Amino acid sequence: MVVQDRRGGGAAAVAVACGTGLAVGLLTTGCSPDGAAADDQEPSVRAAAAAAEVRNSAAALLRAGSARVLTSMETVSGGTRVAIRGRGGYDFATSTGRLRVVLPDPAGRPSGGHQPITEILAPGALFMKNRGAGVPADKWVRVDTASLSDGNLVTGGATDPLAAAELLRGAREVTYQGEERLDGVMVRHYRGTTDIGTAAGAASPRTRPALVAAEQGFTTDAVPFDAYLDEDGRLRKVRQWFRFANGAPEGASVTSTTELSDFGTKVAVQLPDERDIYAGKIASPAQ
């Protein structure tokens, strides 16, 4: 299902010794042993500050509580390109969300011949209704996200918003691209790569199992990204590129975009009753 791989690397905080004291620089000038300004260190300091802000964006979302969500996932495998769209809401406090995901028909037209899939995201689980593949229309399919080779970063046709944000906890080699306006809001644009293994180690207990699974399933731990943060450090938009084997000689690539707005809006998510969950055999999700 889409993408390109980019470079790896890292960004480190800079400590500058001045005389007998220790100054930790953050977008400031420092002192060299001969008293000259340490202008040559400023790019590293700026990179460290940018990486820190991106890594902290997940915590800012947790403070925000909830948001409206738009998702887009474009996949390429064997020369075939597919685009999947979704919209809904997500509660970061409970790590639950509800999305309406629209699949294209074989000609590429949205929803042609397909009923939209209702997805409920929950810690460790993905529930889908109107799944198709022989599943009764009034039944839900439950998938254990930790059992998926991608940790549900791509399987459901939409990346879990909290997982997308927590994946940025492994951000490195981050560069600031400048300010721009996004849906009427001024945002700071950052670009870099994130390491899935590092992100899994720093993620919250609710998200860590999914990221550990993704680390094992993708063909590379390096995930390129573009992230857009508002003045409160909240993630307004993130685009991430994944690559995995998918049983094809050249593998498959995925471009996943998550957009967040209307922070603090009420999001009501009710998990399906056990009696409404389909227990029969089905095809793999989101196909």
Side-chain angles (χ1 to χ4, degrees):
M1 297 166 98
V2 182
V3 126
Q4 315 120 352
D5 295 324
R6 302 184 190 169
R7 69 281 172 195
V14 177
V16 183
C18 296
T20 58
L22 183 68
V24 178
L26 185 62
L27 297 176
T28 61
T29 58
C31 299
S32 64
D34 61 2
D39 290 338
D40 58 335
Q41 294 180 344
E42 287 188 0
S44 295
V45 176
R46 287 196 295 269
E53 184 166 9
V54 170
R55 292 182 194 126
N56 290 333
S57 60
L61 291 182
L62 291 173
R63 291 192 296 271
S66 60
R68 296 293 182 193
V69 180
L70 288 176
T71 68
S72 171
M73 185 168 289
E74 295 185 358
T75 74
V76 173
S77 179
T80 300
R81 182 183 298 270
V82 176
I84 303 171
R85 313 294 180 191
R87 65 172 55 242
Y90 196 91
D91 187 329
F92 293 99
T94 60
S95 302
T96 59
R98 186 182 181 97
L99 298 175
R100 182 178 182 269
V101 177
V102 179
L103 305 177
D105 69 1
R109 297 184 299 269
S111 72
H114 288 285
Q115 288 292 325
I117 297 176
T118 300
E119 295 188 356
I120 292 180
L121 310 170
L126 167 66
F127 299 90
M128 294 181 288
K129 196 173 186 180
N130 288 329
R131 169 62 184 80
V135 179
D138 61 340
K139 293 293 185 180
W140 292 86
V141 173
R142 184 189 188 281
V143 180
D144 179 1
T145 53
S147 69
L148 298 171
S149 60
D150 65 282
N152 196 35
L153 291 176
V154 301
T155 290
T159 300
D160 182 298
L162 183 58
E166 295 251 49
L167 184 56
L168 296 178
R169 292 188 184 275
R172 61 191 188 184
E173 208 171 68
V174 180
T175 59
Y176 175 56
Q177 302 295 305
E179 280 192 332
E180 55 189 86
R181 190 169 294 277
L182 181 66
D183 294 331
V185 176
M186 290 302 299
V187 295
R188 296 183 297 278
H189 178 192
Y190 296 97
R191 178 171 294 159
T193 59
T194 188
D195 182 84
I196 301 177
T198 301
S204 65
R206 288 175 291 183
T207 308
R208 186 174 299 126
L211 294 184
V212 169
E215 181 187 14
Q216 299 170 351
F218 288 121
T219 57
T220 174
D221 282 354
V223 177
F225 70 84
D226 280 287
Y228 303 79
L229 278 60
D230 64 17
E231 62 180 2
D232 294 316
R234 300 173 302 195
L235 196 62
R236 287 280 179 165
K237 179 179 179 180
V238 60
R239 179 172 289 118
Q240 296 162 327
W241 289 268
F242 306 103
R243 180 171 289 279
F244 57 102
N246 197 38
E250 297 181 359
S253 55
V254 178
T255 304
S256 175
T257 304
T258 303
E259 298 182 60
L260 304 169
S261 63
D262 297 329
F263 292 105
T265 190
K266 185 176 180 180
V267 177
V269 180
Q270 183 175 354
L271 300 184
D273 290 334
E274 193 67 32
R275 64 176 179 272
D276 294 327
I277 298 176
Y278 182 67
K281 185 177 181 180
I282 59 172
S284 58
Q287 291 185 352

